[in-house]
Structure formats: C-alpha cells, structure tokens
Amino acid sequence: MNLRPLQLQNNADRRLRAGHLWIYSNEVDNQATPLKAFEPGEQVVVQDARGKALGIASVNPNTLICGRMLSRDLRYPLDRSLLVHRFKVAQSLREMCFDQPCYRLIFGDADLLPGLVVDRFYDIFVVQISSAGMERLQQEIVDALNKVFQPQAIVFRNDGKMRATEGLETYVEVVQGEVPELAPLMENGVNLLAPILTGQKTGWFYDHRENRARMQTLVKGKRVLDLFSYVGGWGAQALAAGASEVVCVDASVTALEVAAENARINEGETRFRGLQGDAFELCKALVADKERFDVVIVDPPAFIARRKDIRNGERAYARINNLAMRLLEKDGTLISASCSMHLEKSRLVDILRANSRELDRNGQIFAQGSQGSDHPIHPAIPETEYLKAYFMRVLPAG
C-alpha cells in the first residue's frame, strides 16, 4: 500500500507520541500537505514537522478530528490482517473477564480501532461504523470477523449520529445470516433479549453490566422504579434477583414491550409494570399519588451531548434526581447514573448532595461504579471514560 504523507505543524506530534490517536485539522501543515488533497477515509503516513514518520492514520479532510491513528508500524496499515490481530487481542480481554460470549467486543479508540464498535450476542455480531476510514473497510471487517469468530450473523447498525459529521449515509443492513427480531444474550447470569435491528445504538447497553450486578444484591424483596428503562436492562435483572415489584418507565412503547418480554422470560411478568411517557412528567404524577419505592434507578440518555450543553444538562440531572429522591422510602437507595462524558464525577456528586439537602434528607454514597471491562479506558484519551454511577442511601435528616 503506497501511502501519501500527512505532515503536522511544530509540536503537534506531542499528543500522538503520548499515546493519543486523534489529529485535529489545525495541527496539519497545510502548506506541506494540504488537507483538501486527501479523500475521506484515505490512509496516510503521519509525519512530524521534521518529516519523521509517526505511524499510519485514516484521514477525513472535512472534519475537526481530521485524522485517527491506526498503526504505529509503517509495515502494517489497517487491513484484514491487522483487523484479525486486533480482534484477537480484544477477544482475549473479554474472555478473561466474562464467561459468556455476550459483550462489547470492540470499543473504538480503546481497542485501537477508532470509529468502530462491535457488540457480540453469542454468535450474532452487531457492527457500528462512525468514521470514513472504517467505512472503507467494511468488507475487511466482515472477513476478519469470519476469520476469528465464524459468526452466525453480522449486522451493520450504521445509523449513529456521528456518521453525518463524517459525511456518511445512515443505514441498517444484515450483511450475513439471519437475525431474529430479538437477539438473546446473557448478563450477570440473567437471560435477556435485545432488539438489535430496531433498538437504540446496537440494541443493548453492555456498559452498565457491573453496576447492574451490584444492583442485584440490593433489591431482593424490594419495590424498584427503573427510570429511562429502555428494554429493562436494570428492571429485568432486578426481577431475576427477587424484587417484589419493578416499574419500568420509558418514552417508547416498543421498548417497554421488550422490557415486558424480558420480565416474562425471567418469571417476573406478574411483578412487572410498564409506564409509557415522559419520565419527568410520570415522576411528578407518581409523587402526587404518594407512590414510594425502596430502590430508584436513574439511568437517562446523555443530557450533555456537547460541551455547550453542560449548564442545561446539569439542570436536567438535578431535576430528575430530585424527583427520584421524592419517590424513595425513608431509607431508600438511589442508583444515579450518567453517560455524559462532559459531566464530571464531582458535579454529579454535588447534584446529589444539593438535592438531598433541598429535601431535608441525608445522602450517603456507599458505592460507585464505572463502565464495564468490555469498555476499556484508553489512558491517553479521557473521552473513553464516560460512564459513572453512584449508589446512595437517602436517609431522613437527624
């Protein structure tokens, strides 16, 4: 593969040498190597200002993050062979951590495959591509998956928001095999189902696996409220762990139908109730009806998608956690989570503290969680650490 050079400005190589994978458009020496001369997704040899090669990257001249490092060795561009190697390395971590083949196999930058996510549901693999570089390698990705795993089916869920930024069309396609409407998976010993063709993202959120395992130890015989429940990832596992009742709240009728099915296969249908609608409004109605729960789970979508959303997003986190605390019994447990990378841990703690005091309650954080082992953190890329969860008793003042 004869790759063209992409030259950086003075000192623009420091982050890359420290392990980061991203190149910003203002770091490129446009006189030496004009960005607009490259095609979206083209692989290039990245050079520092003195012309020394740093490795191979894919480039997109139309985006702020214009380059993503793929290989530090000039002998190995990203092709089927390197994909096979990276898939095997990723698999070894997951097999070390989990006893069932249900997990996020590839977590983008953290697995040195920026722009690629692969979730595994036994022998069904769901692929999400969010960069022009990975889009060029669709067939190589399929070939590498077949080489390493021999999948029953492969699905491309290429309908994420990031694709528009990269100038890519959105689509969902089964590229191999047949896919059921609901794909089976196992998490924390619980059998579950995920709508991988029609659900959010890849159909399931594996990232809270370890937090849900902790939750299971807290809910036996308890009444549980699962806000923003989606298909019942938390709620169904609470039922499997012996919760006396679980109420799932979500805006989507179809998501709640899958949640009900996840309750049924875990012998919890008589202890399950789904409430469809806006979580904020439904919480207000439950407060007005003087409903109370032993455990309330707050796991909303990202209220802070971009840095400019921080103020409004923090207000939303404050409102929903305030309502959740109002619905707790006197010695109740709040599980409050955020997948907003731009919400700092200390700010979420401060939101929980402020709301407990506003309600004249004492908060007692007894555990905290992060993303699961199949969402590893790249030590040079803070953006790969995004998930946070706090387990807090909310006690009467005194």
Side-chain angles (χ1 to χ4, degrees):
M1 190 180 286
N2 189 20
L3 305 181
R4 294 193 285 172
L6 178 76
Q7 190 159 320
L8 304 181
Q9 296 183 19
N10 276 324
N11 299 321
D13 57 317
R14 286 181 178 176
R15 266 185 316 100
L16 299 183
R17 292 186 187 280
H20 212 294
L21 304 182
W22 301 351
I23 301 165
Y24 290 93
S25 56
N26 62 1
E27 295 175 324
V28 175
D29 185 338
N30 269 292
Q31 288 191 326
T33 54
L35 253 182
K36 294 300 180 183
F38 297 98
E39 298 177 12
E42 181 179 348
Q43 293 191 36
V44 298
V45 174
V46 180
Q47 299 177 344
D48 66 15
R50 297 179 301 279
K52 184 176 181 180
L54 302 172
I56 295 171
S58 65
V59 67
N60 190 336
N62 306 315
T63 55
L64 176 62
I65 300 174
C66 70
R68 299 172 189 273
M69 296 295 291
L70 302 174
S71 173
R72 303 281 175 170
D73 191 327
L74 299 183
R75 296 173 299 171
Y76 302 115
L78 188 60
D79 56 12
R80 176 184 177 275
S81 177
L82 186 54
L83 282 164
V84 165
H85 172 69
R86 295 266 165 89
F87 287 172
K88 288 180 177 178
V89 172
Q91 180 190 22
S92 68
L93 170 65
R94 279 68 180 181
E95 289 184 343
M96 181 173 70
C97 297
F98 308 118
D99 60 1
Q100 294 291 329
C102 303
Y103 41 66
R104 174 149 293 182
L105 172 68
I106 301 296
F107 182 45
D109 298 284
D111 285 299
L112 303 182
L113 291 170
L116 181 65
V117 162
V118 182
D119 276 359
R120 183 176 186 180
F121 302 84
Y122 293 110
D123 291 324
I124 298 173
F125 290 70
V126 183
V127 178
Q128 275 201 322
I129 292 171
S130 61
S131 73
M134 285 298 170
E135 186 78 358
R136 281 194 171 200
L137 295 168
Q138 287 183 52
Q139 189 57 53
E140 288 86 347
I141 291 167
V142 171
D143 291 346
L145 286 173
N146 278 310
K147 172 72 173 176
V148 180
F149 302 102
Q150 300 86 48
Q152 167 195 325
I154 300 173
V155 179
F156 279 178
R157 278 297 305 266
N158 288 338
D159 53 355
K161 295 176 183 176
M162 285 295 296
R163 288 180 64 84
T165 306
E166 291 276 322
L168 303 173
E169 295 181 355
T170 60
Y171 59 92
V172 177
E173 181 184 1
V174 179
V175 296
Q176 179 174 308
E178 295 184 3
V179 177
E181 183 179 346
L182 297 176
L185 68 127
M186 179 177 283
E187 188 176 285
N188 300 322
V190 180
N191 288 308
L192 298 155
L193 298 166
I196 60 175
L197 291 175
T198 59
Q200 296 179 29
K201 302 290 180 72
T202 64
W204 188 258
F205 295 94
Y206 280 121
D207 52 2
H208 268 302
R209 178 199 312 261
E210 291 163 22
N211 299 320
R212 291 178 183 137
R214 185 184 293 276
M215 175 272 300
Q216 286 191 40
T217 68
L218 305 172
V219 297
K220 187 172 184 179
K222 302 292 179 65
R223 192 169 190 238
V224 177
L225 176 63
D226 181 7
L227 299 175
F228 308 97
S229 68
Y230 182 44
V231 296
W234 293 88
Q237 292 187 53
L239 289 168
S244 62
E245 181 188 5
V246 170
V247 177
C248 283
V249 171
D250 200 85
S252 168
V253 173
T254 54
L256 286 173
E257 288 173 349
V258 179
E261 181 63 12
N262 276 323
R264 187 192 67 77
I265 65 174
N266 285 287
E267 301 180 348
E269 57 192 318
T270 60
R271 295 174 284 137
F272 170 87
R273 179 158 59 111
L275 293 179
Q276 186 271 326
D278 178 81
F280 292 88
E281 296 305 317
L282 286 171
C283 280
K284 289 178 186 175
L286 290 170
V287 169
D289 290 342
K290 294 184 167 48
E291 293 267 17
R292 294 293 181 270
F293 297 87
D294 302 297
V295 178
V296 177
I297 300 154
V298 179
D299 181 22
F303 289 151
I304 307 173
R306 296 158 296 183
R307 199 172 293 278
K308 69 178 186 178
D309 301 326
I310 288 177
R311 180 172 293 183
N312 287 336
E314 287 185 352
R315 288 194 187 114
Y317 283 111
R319 284 176 56 215
I320 197 62
N321 280 286
N322 185 286
L323 288 164
M325 289 181 196
R326 291 175 186 271
L327 289 166
L328 280 172
E329 293 284 4
K330 288 183 178 180
D331 185 7
T333 297
L334 173 67
I335 302 173
S336 182
S338 168
C339 61
S340 295
M341 187 269 294
H342 293 295
L343 180 67
E344 295 180 4
K345 292 179 183 178
S346 60
R347 284 298 298 135
L348 183 53
V349 170
D350 201 45
I351 285 167
L352 298 176
R353 177 200 56 76
N355 279 282
S356 64
R357 293 311 305 137
E358 181 183 322
L359 299 174
D360 198 26
R361 307 280 290 272
N362 285 333
Q364 188 180 49
I365 294 173
F366 62 91
Q368 53 187 296
S370 182
Q371 60 222 54
S373 311
D374 51 351
H375 292 66
I377 296 163
H378 191 303
I381 307 178
E383 292 85 353
T384 58
E385 182 178 10
Y386 67 97
L387 197 71
K388 51 205 74 83
Y390 289 96
F391 294 71
M392 185 171 85
R393 281 206 307 174
V394 182
L395 303 160

